Structures are given as C-alpha cells and as structure tokens.
Amino acid sequence: MSIERDVMEYDVVIVGGGPSGLGAAIRLKQKAAEAGKEISVCLVEKGSEVGAHILSGAVYEPRALNELFPNWKELGAPLKTAVQRDELHMLTSETAGIKLPNLFVPKTMHNEGNYIISLGNLCRWLEEQAVAAGVEIYPGFAAQEVLIEEGVVKGIQVGDMGIDRDGSHKPDFAPGIELRAKYTLFAEGCRGHLGKRLLKQFKLDEGADPQHYGIGIKEIWEAPAGKHQPGLVVHGAGWPLDVMGTGNTGGWFLYHTDNNQILVGLIVDLSYSNAYLSPFDEFQRLKHHPVLKQYLEGGKRLSYGARAITKGGFNSLPKMVFPGGALIGCDLGTMNFSKIKGSHTAMKSGMIAGEAYADALQGGNAGGDALQAFPEAFKSSWLHDELYRSRNFGPAIHKFGALFGGIFNYIDQNWFGGKIPVTLHDTTPDYATLKLAKDSTRIVYPKPDNKLSFDKASSVFMSSTNHEEHQPVHLKLTDASIPITRNLPLYAEPAQRYCPVGVYEVLGEGANARFQINAQNCVHCKTCDIKDPSQNITWVAPEGSGGPNYAGM
Amino acid sequence: MKAIVSVKRVVDYNVRIQVKPDGSGVVTDGVKHSMNPFDEIAMEEAVRLKEKGKITEIIAVTMGGAKNEETLRTALAFGATKAIHIKEEGEIQPLTAARAFAAVFKKEGASLFIAGKQAIDDDANQTGQMLAALLDLPQATFAGKVSIEGNVATVVREVDAGLETLEIDLPAVITADLRLNEPRYLKLPDIMKAKRIPIEAVTLADLGVTAAAAVKVIKTTPPPSRSKGVMVKTVDELVAALKAKGLA
C-alpha cells in the first residue's frame, strides 16, 4: 500500500533535539550568518517538547558551551550551581565504605569549574537560541525511516499518526511527511533506532571494538530540611554492585543542585553478567546506604527516569560519516566515560559537524557525499584528544573491577595524563556477557519501604510517561516465541529485570507462561534493544510525542 | 460568519503536578505546557463548522505572556484564520479573561464564541458563562454536539440527568465538553505554515479592559496521600469492615 506523502526540502535535517543536534543546528546557523549565506536547517524531536526525553546526571563541563556562546551567562543559560566540593566513595557493604582522599581520585573525576545542571533545561534553553537563529524545530514528530536512495541518505520520513493496534488507519490518520536534505545528521542519543540501522547498512562499526553501554536510573529529590549543600558532588562505586569482581559493575552519583533539590542516580554497566540482576532494584537499595541515606531521609522523591548511555568511548567509535550524512553525539558514542560526562562532548561533536557541513554547503557542495572534512576536523579537536586519553577507563573497570580498575585509572589519568603506553580492549558485546540463570546467583532484593525506595509502578508514574494507547506496540520481537522458549529457560527472561519501568512481564507459569509487553510504560531508554541476550527486541519510534515528559531531568 | 475560539496555555495533562513547597501554587518552571484540552476540542469544532461551510473565519485568541504564542501557533495549525494575543504577564482571573474576550468579540463583530468548558489548570469553569453575561448573549455550556442552521444553533448539552437539547439564536457563546469531538492530529506541513502567519498583539489597555481581582488564592496543597488498604480474607470480613466504617 503506497501512501501519498508531502515532501519538504532543507539543506540540513537533524534528528533529535539533544545537546549534539542543537549544537550542530546552532553552529550551522552561526556560520550561515557569518557568511551571509542562508542554510536551511530543520530539526525533529520525538519528545512532546525539546527536553521531554532528556535525562542526564548532570555535572556539566562548560567547555563546548563556552565556544558556542561565549556570553552564555548574559544570555541566561541555566548553569546556576557551580560545583563546590567533590567526594568519591568506594562502598564495601550495605553499611560500610571508604571515602577516597582527594589525592587518589583520578584527575578526570575532579569537577572544579563545572556546574550541576539539568540537561533537559539546558536543551530547552538551547532550543530558544536555535529558534532565534532561524532553526525550524518540530517537537512531537519522530523520525521513523531513513530515506536511502542508491546508497545515499536523502533524509528521513516522519512517523505516521493515527495507526490502530492492528495496523489499520484510524479516521484521524495523518501520514508522516518526508524531510529531504543535502545532509542528514543523526543525533538520536544512545542506541538511536535509525543510527543502529545506519551502522549496519554502511558497516560503520567495522574495525572498532563493540560498543558498550550502561543503564542510568535517576531520581530528583526535594532535600530534607538542613541537608542541602548546593554544589556538593558525590560519586561512588562498589556495593551493591561488585567491589572486587568484574562481572557486575557500575557507579552512582548524588548531586546537590539549586532549588533545594538533590539528583541521585545509578549507572549499571550493561556488561553485567548475573542474569538475576535488576538495575532498578540495585538503585532502590543503594539509597539505603548511610552515605546516600543521610541526604535523602525525610526528603521527598519528585521525579524518576532512566536512559541508556553509550560508553565504549574511543575504542568503540564507529566511522562518523556515510553518503549524505553523519552520526553525532551519543548516537555516535562520544561520551567520555572517565569523566562520566557526555553532554559537553556530544555538544562539541555536533558543533564540529555543524561547522564542517556549513563549510561544505557554502563551498557549493551539493550534498550526498561522505564528507571527510567532519572526521578530519574531529581528529584535530580537543574532543579527540579527550576521548583518546580516556580510552582505557571503561575497559580497565570491565577487566579489573571497580577497585583494581580504579587504581589502574588513577595511575593512567594522574601519572600518564591518559597516555599510558597500552590500550585495553573490551571485545565482548554487552548482550553476550549474561551468564545462564543456573550459573547466576539469585538476588533477593529487599521490599521497598516507600520512603527511600519504591516499586516500579509508582516510579514510572513519576516519569509522566504516556503513549497513545491504541497504536501498534513499538517494541518489536523478531521471533515472538524466543522470550518464553529460549530466554525464560536459559536466563529466567532478564527483560523482566533490566527494564527499569516494567514494560516486560512473564505471566503464568510452566506451559501457561506468556510474555507481555506493556509498551505504554516505555521511557525510551533502549536497554532492551541493547541487553536482550537473543538480540530479539528492536526498539522503534512510537507515535510522535509519546514517551516520558521529564521536567528538569 | 466569524467565530472566535479562546485557547489557554496550561501545564500539559501528562505532567504530574507538583505543589511548590511554600504552598504558593504549583511548579510551572521547566514544565511542559500545551493547549488546554477542552480548548483543543473547541478549536476542532470550529474547524469542522468551517469545513461544513457554517462559518467563514476562525479567530483564535489567547491571553498571557510571550510563551502563549506557541498556543496560538497550535491554533493556526488546526486551521484558525487569524490569531490575537492579548499580552498580560500578571495573573489572569476568569472575569478578566471574560472582559477581554467580550471586547475582542465586539471589535471583531463575531457571531459565535466557542470556548473549552474549563481549563485544566484552575478548573474554574466560569469564563464562558461570564462572557455570555457581559455580552448579554445566549449560552450553551457543556456542549456534546453542535449544529448550525442559518442563525440558530442546536446544541446537545451534557447535564447530570442525561442530554439536554437547546436551540439558541446566534450570536451566542458555546462551551465545549469532552465528547464534542476528537481533535485531529496536527500535520507537520500545517505546523510549518502556521509559523509564518502574523499574530496580532493587543494589551488590556488597548481593549479598554481592567484586570479583575475578584478571587484570591490563599493556599495550594497537594491531595492527601492515599492511606494503605486493608486485606480481607472473606466476604464476611469485608462486610464487617464496611459496616464498621458506616459504609454498608
């Protein structure tokens, strides 16, 4: 069935309104204004508004923003809370831990000059700047397909609206239009569903180490009276994840931001091996540790959310360009894991792309090529240098565990400035690290007390998530039988646990067991697409504006 | 025939509302806003009436700060032919809105005013009624069905007892209830076109209207949290528990 679609043409189409997409859009328009030569830029965002799907810690390094808007202070950028003090803890049990002396903290983990921000609010501010610069931004519209013609990316097709559960068109059916461009930049964030297809189609990841991911779960709390210390940054690793082991690693954060709020979260490396591990429940019990509890007890949880992060870093970086476009930001994988920061690097990668594509268009380039000027400019930027220096950080923790990997990182970062003459590789993809259920240790998580810890149902409610309820399920199973016939017997179907909002459930037992997908709960974190041991789940964009409605994340 | 539709910018219905710690209101900073859902229904109805040839022009009007322009853009994407932004940074009470809308209605020489029955932020459900009173026009509130023949509107109202059918002479004020229609999806090309339509800006002073201060909000409190349920094992136990609470 062919559908008549409207077509709009632009010089550049950008998919995703995060720091990289907005950074690229603004840089394109700045260069156009400098040269007095118009470049038309259109940006689509699947969230109901820019910022609705953004989730980050976030301690923000302003380096890229300083370059994009040297006068960001006068322009009112929402960087309000400067980091005052850093703490790093290694938790050794549910009650004990060691606070590391500052001297032994890897240099990349120091945060002088950085700010505690809401990345969602920074993106909302960037949107205002981008719109003022002439970028056309359309939130509530998801890029559903890449238009590829004769091996060249020609743009994207926006998702249809008004399709019924069974695929038929409802009376209010509205076909998605085609947005065609000389160049299309994909800035979907970690594990973008179009980026994933492009990586495969153009073999962009050939020769790179497999990409690695983490699942970040975050809550915003109203601080209890007398406990709020604006500017305090606390990081930690170890309990409830592995301290000495290498199988199940991760790290947590607790930031005191403005407005009497505390941001707390846990990132679990998706290379975890215990089939019974539940990142959500690890986070819930983490908050009971005295180091965190002291700041949260008596406070009030305001918001909840989760998002996967791309953290393979330098060794996992794929090729950036293909005919007609490029991947930028977390869609590409520019996060600096040694700093646990990806916002400034994502923004910088977008800015470098914006400059390179503006130059190409202004030089009379007709588009459609794999523009080498972008990767070349990347190679001579501080972003490349920064990612190179931190290339060992993640692999060291995967190989040696939180404690010994941490010691390696201290030596690498503080003695060698990240230039230790060895490169560690981590070549097992995250979906292949899971041990069989029979070889995994069962974990009995404590019941939530509804003061510090909560269940999944009340948490997803805190993310203001909504999807139009009659649309087709946007989590596609390649083989519908695999969850019950393979994943359940081998791995006790880990989707029930790695999904932080309870999208996946196994109901019934034995011969009556069936797999249920509660797609309406989905917060678009992409963990299922990454971690399913059978690689049987594909996340596709639901109807535009569906998903979480994060405020201040 | 001209119709005017009022569109209010409110905190989006998907957002979980948070009361400010000091009780002075709810958190609106950094929170997603959108067009009041009942106003979307009013807008959709106006567009359908225009598609049926019953009206010729739809003027969308909003009242509030600079951000309200987004709401008017949404109205234009729906199919409004003109948009008026009454600029007002301060608090807007229903009576102020009714006065301003009355002035716009007269100025534009419109024959029909369609409003949402209420806005989901203050749930006041007053503006439409006050507007009809100020203009001394017939009103049909809680409309579930609207049809227009010549100078007469037939409106099916959703009332407690069921459905009530009214015939009113135009000009008139109609307020839209939930089941009046299902608003369409906005199409990207329409949103793109809506960006380029100029918006007329006016102030209360331009309209010769003064702000009302009829209502004072004393305190905002979150609803009490639900107390934990009690598990009962048998029907008898349930009945006994209900009787003990005086519920059965």
Side-chain angles (χ1 to χ4, degrees):
Chain A
M1 182 173 53
S2 83
I3 296 167
E4 191 83 355
R5 295 186 188 280
D6 286 328
V7 176
M8 297 289 293
E9 299 210 12
Y10 291 88
D11 290 324
V12 181
V13 164
I14 299 172
V15 181
S20 70
L22 289 163
I26 291 169
R27 215 51 209 107
L28 277 158
K29 283 292 186 183
Q30 286 176 339
K31 294 276 285 184
E34 280 164 29
K37 226 173 176 179
E38 181 55 22
I39 298 175
S40 58
V41 182
C42 175
L43 185 152
V44 287
E45 159 61 42
K46 69 178 163 63
S48 61
E49 62 167 359
V50 168
H53 289 184
I54 296 284
L55 183 145
S56 183
V59 170
Y60 184 70
E61 182 177 315
R63 190 170 183 180
L65 184 63
N66 288 340
E67 294 175 8
L68 190 63
F69 290 109
N71 58 337
W72 57 260
K73 266 189 189 139
E74 290 93 83
L75 293 171
L79 278 63
K80 292 177 200 155
T81 312
V83 175
Q84 303 294 339
R85 193 154 61 83
D86 262 311
E87 283 182 16
L88 184 60
H89 294 258
M90 179 61 74
L91 305 185
T92 51
S93 76
E94 62 183 319
T95 50
I98 308 153
K99 185 172 147 189
L100 272 77
N102 231 354
L103 184 69
F104 293 110
V105 174
K107 264 185 188 163
T108 53
M109 302 269 297
H110 290 261
N111 282 301
E112 296 91 2
N114 295 340
Y115 293 83
I116 302 170
I117 65 159
S118 150
L119 186 64
N121 288 349
L122 179 62
C123 288
R124 287 179 178 93
W125 179 82
L126 285 169
E127 181 199 19
E128 287 174 20
Q129 311 308 313
V131 168
V135 180
E136 288 186 36
I137 298 184
Y138 299 105
F141 291 92
Q144 188 64 274
E145 301 289 340
V146 189
L147 304 173
I148 303 178
E149 289 163 10
E150 291 165 6
V152 179
V153 172
K154 295 285 192 183
I156 52 116
Q157 182 222 304
V158 173
D160 298 331
M161 309 283 257
I163 296 184
D164 216 333
R165 178 61 59 101
D166 62 5
S168 63
H169 294 177
K170 292 192 281 189
D172 56 358
F173 174 74
I177 73 168
E178 288 184 359
L179 295 171
R180 290 178 171 263
K182 292 175 180 152
Y183 293 110
T184 310
L185 303 179
F186 293 83
E188 304 165 285
C190 170
R191 195 77 165 193
H193 76 123
L194 300 180
K196 183 182 163 186
R197 287 186 223 170
L198 290 162
L199 284 167
K200 197 167 167 213
Q201 167 114 10
F202 293 102
K203 301 189 171 70
L204 300 175
D205 51 0
E206 247 179 27
D209 285 357
Q211 190 54 270
H212 294 285
Y213 304 91
I215 164 81
I217 302 175
K218 175 184 168 183
E219 291 176 354
I220 302 178
W221 281 66
E222 188 180 294
K227 296 289 180 174
H228 191 237
Q229 302 176 39
L232 174 61
V233 166
V234 191
H235 284 120
W239 187 90
L241 300 167
D242 289 357
V243 183
M244 308 291 277
T246 61
N248 308 289
T249 52
W252 54 268
F253 61 86
L254 188 145
Y255 306 145
H256 293 245
T257 185
D258 57 332
N259 231 346
N260 198 37
Q261 286 179 357
I262 291 176
L263 316 172
V264 59
L266 173 69
I267 297 164
V268 175
D269 296 335
L270 284 178
S271 56
Y272 74 80
S273 63
N274 187 335
Y276 289 108
L277 190 144
S278 161
F280 173 86
D281 293 292
E282 295 294 345
F283 175 49
Q284 296 306 320
R285 69 171 168 177
L286 167 70
K287 288 180 286 173
H288 286 272
H289 193 284
V291 171
L292 292 92
K293 188 177 166 183
Q294 61 174 321
Y295 299 117
L296 302 175
E297 197 169 33
K300 193 174 137 205
R301 184 171 73 149
L302 301 175
S303 189
Y304 170 88
R307 181 72 173 96
I309 58 169
T310 316
K311 63 178 193 47
F314 189 83
N315 301 336
S316 304
L317 269 185
K319 290 187 196 78
M320 310 169 127
V321 294
F322 44 80
L327 299 176
I328 54 176
C330 235
D331 221 352
L332 177 69
T334 54
M335 176 175 145
N336 180 345
F337 189 49
S338 73
K339 292 185 179 175
I340 4 173
K341 286 184 191 59
S343 306
H344 71 294
T345 51
M347 189 188 254
K348 178 67 178 174
S349 78
M351 288 161 60
I352 298 170
E355 285 165 22
Y357 285 96
D359 285 341
L361 290 165
Q362 285 170 339
N365 198 320
D369 58 321
L371 188 75
Q372 291 310 314
F374 170 39
E376 278 160 23
F378 166 76
K379 270 186 202 112
S380 55
S381 71
W382 57 255
L383 174 57
H384 181 271
D385 181 55
E386 189 178 317
L387 293 180
Y388 176 76
R389 284 170 191 255
S390 65
R391 74 198 180 286
N392 285 329
F393 203 94
I397 290 179
H398 287 191
K399 273 187 196 306
F400 310 135
L403 187 59
F404 294 112
I407 293 169
F408 176 93
N409 286 331
Y410 160 71
I411 295 170
D412 186 9
Q413 298 301 328
N414 293 30
W415 298 359
F416 291 88
K419 297 205 165 174
I420 202 165
V422 54
T423 296
L424 303 176
H425 291 276
D426 182 359
T427 52
T428 312
D430 292 347
Y431 64 81
T433 55
L434 215 52
K435 283 197 256 176
L436 296 174
K438 66 178 173 62
D439 302 324
S440 296
T441 317
R442 231 174 231 283
I443 306 174
V444 181
Y445 291 105
K447 276 213 160 70
D449 68 352
N450 290 317
K451 292 188 183 89
L452 284 172
S453 48
F454 305 90
D455 63 9
K456 278 186 185 176
S458 67
S459 300
V460 66
F461 174 66
M462 291 251 163
S463 65
S464 301
T465 297
N466 189 44
H467 289 89
E468 197 287 322
E469 60 184 320
H470 299 298
Q471 63 182 304
V473 172
H474 70 278
L475 301 145
K476 309 278 184 200
L477 300 179
T478 310
D479 178 343
S481 71
I482 280 182
I484 298 300
T485 58
R486 180 171 191 269
N487 285 357
L488 189 59
L490 293 183
Y491 302 102
E493 186 45 280
Q496 304 174 81
R497 292 175 293 279
Y498 59 62
C499 175
V501 286
V503 166
Y504 302 100
E505 286 181 287
V506 175
L507 302 173
E509 275 180 50
N512 295 321
R514 65 183 179 89
F515 192 59
Q516 177 163 304
I517 304 179
N518 308 308
Q520 255 189 305
N521 283 1
C522 177
V523 290
H524 300 197
C525 79
K526 319 279 174 76
T527 302
C528 51
D529 193 296
I530 297 164
K531 187 63 179 172
D532 177 29
S534 305
Q535 286 293 282
N536 185 46
I537 302 175
T538 303
W539 189 99
V540 299
E543 199 168 87
S545 92
N549 284 285
Y550 295 139
M553 276 286 189
Chain B
M1 183 159 74
K2 276 186 195 177
I4 296 184
V5 179
S6 56
V7 292
K8 187 174 184 183
R9 180 176 183 267
V10 298
V11 172
D12 187 82
Y13 65 95
N14 287 313
V15 172
R16 212 175 46 82
I17 299 293
Q18 283 171 26
V19 174
K20 286 183 189 165
D22 66 359
S24 64
V26 303
V27 177
T28 54
D29 281 351
V31 168
K32 181 180 162 24
H33 284 67
S34 56
M35 186 189 286
N36 173 37
F38 292 108
D39 296 347
E40 279 194 348
I41 294 170
M43 198 60 227
E44 173 70 29
E45 195 60 22
V47 173
R48 289 186 188 184
L49 288 170
K50 182 163 174 276
E51 284 166 352
K52 286 180 196 148
K54 304 292 179 189
I55 54 178
T56 51
E57 217 184 300
I58 304 170
I59 302 167
V61 57
T62 193
M63 197 168 169
K67 291 252 179 191
N68 278 46
E69 192 185 316
E70 290 168 16
T71 313
L72 284 178
R73 296 282 169 210
T74 306
L76 289 164
F78 260 108
T81 44
K82 181 178 166 180
I84 299 174
H85 185 174
I86 305 168
K87 299 233 171 180
E88 174 58 41
E89 294 294 338
E91 183 208 2
I92 300 162
Q93 300 198 353
L95 183 57
T96 314
R99 284 175 183 167
F101 295 158
V104 171
F105 192 85
K106 282 185 194 154
K107 194 175 138 205
E108 295 291 336
S111 307
L112 180 61
F113 196 103
I114 312 180
K117 67 167 180 176
Q118 68 197 61
I120 61 167
D121 53 358
D122 58 14
D123 277 338
N125 190 329
Q126 294 171 358
T127 306
Q129 293 88 328
M130 287 177 173
L131 173 64
L134 290 173
L135 290 169
D136 197 19
L137 290 180
Q139 57 175 309
T141 51
F142 311 107
K145 194 165 182 258
V146 174
S147 49
I148 292 178
E149 282 311 324
N151 255 354
V152 177
T154 307
V155 179
V156 180
R157 301 181 64 226
E158 299 194 10
V159 294
D160 285 349
L163 299 175
E164 178 187 83
T165 306
L166 292 185
E167 263 186 20
I168 50 172
D169 293 332
L170 297 181
V173 176
I174 295 174
T175 71
D177 211 326
L178 187 65
R179 277 173 286 271
L180 181 57
N181 59 51
E182 266 187 53
R184 66 196 62 196
Y185 286 104
L186 295 180
K187 297 196 170 95
L188 196 45
D190 293 335
I191 295 173
M192 290 172 169
K193 275 180 225 146
K195 274 186 191 277
R196 289 184 269 276
I197 301 172
I199 288 173
E200 189 182 316
V202 294
T203 61
L204 286 181
D206 295 339
L207 296 169
V209 166
T210 49
V215 183
K216 193 173 155 197
V217 175
I218 297 171
K219 201 177 168 199
T220 308
T221 46
S225 55
R226 245 181 71 186
S227 56
K228 236 182 168 173
V230 184
M231 292 299 280
V232 289
K233 287 198 183 71
T234 63
V235 176
D236 290 344
E237 232 182 284
L238 174 66
V239 172
L242 287 173
K243 275 188 176 156
K245 287 183 181 285
L247 297 167

